[in-house]
Amino acid sequence: MAQTLAEKIIAKAAGRGTVSPGEIVTCRVDLAMMHDSGGPRRVKPVLERLGAKVWDPEKVVVVSDHYVPAVDAESAAILDLTRKWTAANGIGKFHDMQGICHVVLPERGHLRPGLFVVGGDSHSPTGGAFGCYMFGVGATDMAGVLVTGETWIKVPETIRIAIDGDLGDGLSAKDILLHLCARIGMGGGAYQAIQYTGSTVANLSMQERMTLSNMAAELGAQAGLIEGDETTAAYIRKAGGDPGDVSAWRGDDDAAYLATHHVDAAALIPQVAAPHSPANSGPVTDLGGEAIHQAYIGACTGAKLDDLHMAARVMKGRKVADGTRLLIAPASTRTTAAAAADGTLATLTEAGAILLPSGCGACAGYGAGVLAEDEVCISSTARNFKGRMGAKSSRVYLGSPFTVAASAVVGRVADPREFLEGGAP
Amino acid sequence: MSAAGTIGKATGKATGKATGKAWVFGDDIDTDVLAPGLYMKGPFEELARHCLEAVDPTFAPGVAPGDIVVGGLNFGIGSSREQAAQALKHLGVGAVVAKSFGGIFFRNALNMGLVALVCADAGRISAADDLAVDPAEGLIVNKTRDERYACEALPPQLLTMVQDGGLVPHLEKKMAQTAQEDAAR
């Protein structure tokens, strides 16, 4: 029976030859990732109540990224509990304040095609960029995994999103995803598996592929898969991991797909999402113009090294507009180190950007950079729900790092393309 | 922090049935309005007091035990934070019914022992309607309007889990059964 990539990974994890969409199966978990917010502080009481131990500490990764660095007694206590619990439970793969989990996980070589991975965070589909079946769960689900090493899954249908054509200058994976959010909506993924295919995807870097997979969450999908190729294998090797047989983890040509959506990347113009939903997206030429107080480049979605490079191309030799602040929280400490080494950080700070610690930060209103009442922000993050980044009356636009940087220069939601003409990096 | 005290607190009914007044919300109710990030690091009881505050400030102070939350499309989209479902459970909500759910929220609700049912007719329910929800039958009875709405049936293993009070009590039960079987051997 012809199988999609999602079906092949789930069948392997379920110890089955094949699986069919709609059936509920129990899977062995290859890797479980959790962070300081939904992790130890929430699973510890459950494990204690059950008198249970972690089934396999080698298969658990813990990342402190939400309450970092501590700003008050409560956040300090959460980070302290996380450190003590990981030590007491023999979790060797503990990354404390090294960056955002979805970026740190592949950076440290923990992912490879074919793995069945659960993550205690809704942006866990990011791991799909590495050909893993990775999906987000809540803390009690995670506790169940830690006790049993297993979880249930309803085998998803696969929705194919075929993206072809060359992206224009000043466009990125983020623009493709915002366009899709408007087109198929936040329920368009129907909690099924999305698989991105096509020539555009094949030509994207791993970090840009991660942005596609990451925002499968905003399309309402359970997972956002991309089949591995030489780009995937090269990234994993560089990260110190073993990619395994990448070619073994591909869907069959004649597998059944629930739907196929086509995107013409060459026809796209930069997209922004107006407040308060990623689905309120459209061309910046239609939705731009509103004055902003803050521009934010951060989060797993929008502050990887490629994202900082995009911002730097716009900011080079320019300044942040008076009355506007540009905050940048690189996605990981390795991102910061690389951006320091190649001059990107200097370009950004000379333009007036303010650097923040690596972590989830203002994206979900946890860290530095939250908004006051009635403030307007444009952000390279994934969600602009009401009140998410701060005060209830604040308003957030979403855009690519190119668009956020251009908006910081103008002081309004702005089209980045005019800042890039002839401006190769 | 208070997770152990509230996860899977039994409702006293092994059926998962709920009877109460409808609180009706629109489409795309997200986890940031259910469990605002501002209160995530503090005491859970404080967070629950702000549940849905951004869209209906009367909800948390006014909801009564057994009341039913009615959503439109994509109820619970967004974060994986299970405090979104836990807050509803903590406030005494008897069940959540919606045209569709965010997938992680749906799992979290059942794990917390909070009945969540997909109902295509959820839009027929008005605020303050008297409802009776039966997850085993997959049925909502609207006593105010004298109407009955069919829901998508929960798979048997998930129905058992939610009737047990959620994943943790369900695992406790299974572990006790295993221990008994081992002892009998």
Side-chain angles (χ1 to χ4, degrees):
Chain A
M1 188 166 79
Q3 299 264 284
T4 66
L5 174 58
E7 290 157 7
K8 286 185 180 184
I9 298 172
I10 291 167
K12 185 209 66 170
R16 298 258 302 264
T18 60
V19 290
S20 300
E23 64 175 323
I24 291 183
V25 295
T26 300
C27 290
R28 297 296 300 171
V29 170
D30 293 315
L31 193 71
M33 184 278 291
M34 56 188 165
H35 54 55
D36 51 330
S37 183
R41 72 167 174 145
R42 300 275 302 178
V43 300
K44 180 174 180 276
V46 179
L47 265 62
E48 286 171 358
R49 176 171 164 182
L50 295 173
K53 285 193 177 337
V54 174
W55 99 105
D56 187 350
E58 289 294 309
K59 292 183 175 168
V60 177
V61 180
V62 177
V63 181
S64 282
D65 58 6
H66 273 57
Y67 297 111
V68 298
V71 294
D72 54 21
E74 288 164 328
S75 48
I78 291 168
L79 296 176
D80 181 53
L81 184 155
T82 305
R83 291 179 192 117
K84 286 176 176 159
W85 186 88
T86 49
N89 286 274
I91 310 295
K93 295 171 181 140
F94 173 43
H95 306 292
D96 191 6
M97 302 182 31
Q98 297 300 301
I100 305 169
C101 57
H102 306 299
V103 176
V104 169
L105 205 59
E107 242 179 28
R108 308 294 168 127
H110 296 315
L111 299 181
R112 66 172 184 277
L115 295 184
F116 184 87
V117 188
V118 296
D121 190 272
S122 60
H123 281 113
S124 296
T126 312
F130 294 83
C132 302
Y133 198 91
M134 184 165 178
F135 64 106
V137 296
T140 299
D141 250 342
M142 181 60 73
V145 169
L146 295 179
V147 173
T148 65
E150 297 177 345
T151 196
W152 65 272
I153 191 171
K154 185 175 178 183
V155 179
E157 302 270 4
T158 298
I159 298 169
R160 187 164 42 186
I161 298 182
I163 311 165
D164 289 287
D166 295 332
L167 280 168
D169 197 16
L171 283 107
S172 68
K174 181 66 173 286
D175 298 289
I176 296 171
L177 248 295
L178 290 177
H179 165 74
L180 282 165
C181 285
R183 210 167 102 185
I184 70 172
M186 295 198 68
Y191 206 48
Q192 307 302 308
I194 281 174
Q195 185 174 332
Y196 301 103
T197 65
S199 62
T200 314
V201 180
N203 288 329
L204 289 176
S205 69
M206 283 316 297
Q207 293 182 7
E208 281 282 88
R209 293 181 190 182
M210 286 163 68
T211 303
L212 291 183
S213 294
N214 176 279
M215 286 191 70
E218 278 57 53
L219 298 173
Q222 187 179 43
L225 298 162
I226 299 173
E227 290 178 344
D229 59 11
E230 196 38 53
T231 303
T232 321
Y235 181 104
I236 294 170
R237 278 190 213 102
K238 199 176 163 199
D242 173 7
D245 183 5
V246 169
S247 63
W249 293 104
R250 307 183 72 84
D252 296 323
D253 289 339
D254 51 347
Y257 294 89
L258 180 65
T260 301
H261 302 286
H262 293 275
V263 176
D264 178 3
L268 270 185
I269 67 170
Q271 304 279 306
V272 292
H276 299 283
S277 169
N280 289 341
S281 290
V284 66
T285 43
D286 295 344
L287 297 176
E290 182 164 1
I292 58 165
H293 302 87
Q294 177 167 306
Y296 185 74
I297 291 177
C300 50
T301 313
K304 301 177 289 299
L305 187 62
D306 283 8
D307 298 312
L308 301 191
H309 286 164
M310 293 177 209
R313 275 193 61 205
V314 171
M315 301 308 295
K316 191 167 182 62
R318 298 193 172 90
K319 294 284 184 198
V320 175
D322 286 345
T324 302
R325 51 191 190 263
L326 171 61
L327 308 184
I328 300 181
S332 69
T333 50
R334 288 192 182 175
T335 304
T336 306
D342 71 11
T344 301
L345 288 189
T347 300
L348 294 169
T349 53
E350 280 163 21
I354 296 158
L355 283 182
L356 299 177
S358 293
C360 302
C363 170
Y366 288 71
V370 297
L371 301 168
E373 296 289 350
D374 298 320
E375 282 196 324
V376 179
C377 176
I378 185 164
S379 176
S380 68
T381 56
R383 292 184 185 140
N384 56 346
F385 299 146
K386 194 173 185 201
R388 178 175 165 89
M389 284 187 77
K392 282 196 276 286
S393 61
S394 60
R395 305 172 73 243
V396 178
Y397 286 82
L398 303 177
S400 75
F402 284 125
T403 303
V404 173
S407 303
V409 170
V410 179
R412 295 178 177 277
V413 177
D415 188 336
R417 292 174 297 177
E418 61 192 277
F419 296 99
L420 294 169
E421 279 165 30
Chain B
M1 299 300 206
S2 57
T6 46
I7 287 176
K9 188 182 281 181
T11 55
K13 289 179 259 178
T15 60
K17 286 183 187 173
T19 306
K21 191 172 79 129
W23 292 79
V24 178
F25 298 90
D27 293 342
D28 300 329
I29 294 297
D30 62 73
T31 49
D32 286 277
V33 301
L34 285 160
L38 184 59
Y39 305 102
M40 280 287 286
K41 69 185 170 192
F44 170 71
E45 292 72 17
E46 173 69 11
L47 172 106
R49 275 196 284 280
H50 298 277
C51 178
L52 290 165
E53 179 182 67
V55 289
D56 182 357
T58 70
F59 172 74
V63 67
D67 280 359
I68 315 294
V69 166
V70 180
L73 295 169
N74 307 321
F75 189 92
I77 48 166
S79 163
S80 63
R81 62 184 78 157
E82 67 185 4
Q83 288 93 329
Q86 190 184 1
L88 296 176
K89 179 87 179 167
H90 177 79
L91 293 169
V93 169
V96 187
V97 299
K99 290 181 191 168
S100 66
F101 286 94
I104 304 177
F105 176 88
F106 187 72
R107 284 182 78 115
N108 286 343
L110 300 179
N111 284 335
M112 293 274 127
L114 174 64
V115 169
L117 292 173
V118 175
C119 178
D121 290 325
R124 299 183 59 85
I125 300 168
S126 296
D129 282 359
D130 268 320
L131 303 180
V133 176
D134 185 342
E137 295 292 323
L139 184 70
I140 301 168
V141 177
N142 188 333
K143 298 176 200 167
T144 305
R145 286 163 204 282
D146 195 21
E147 291 179 342
R148 297 159 71 84
Y149 317 122
C151 305
E152 285 182 19
L154 288 174
Q157 59 269 56
L158 297 185
L159 179 64
T160 303
M161 182 180 79
V162 78
Q163 287 176 334
D164 285 346
L167 179 61
V168 176
H170 180 67
L171 283 175
E172 268 181 331
K173 191 174 91 174
K174 280 173 67 170
M175 289 163 85
Q177 281 168 355
T178 307
Q180 269 183 358
E181 285 163 17
D182 288 350
R185 234 173 248 139

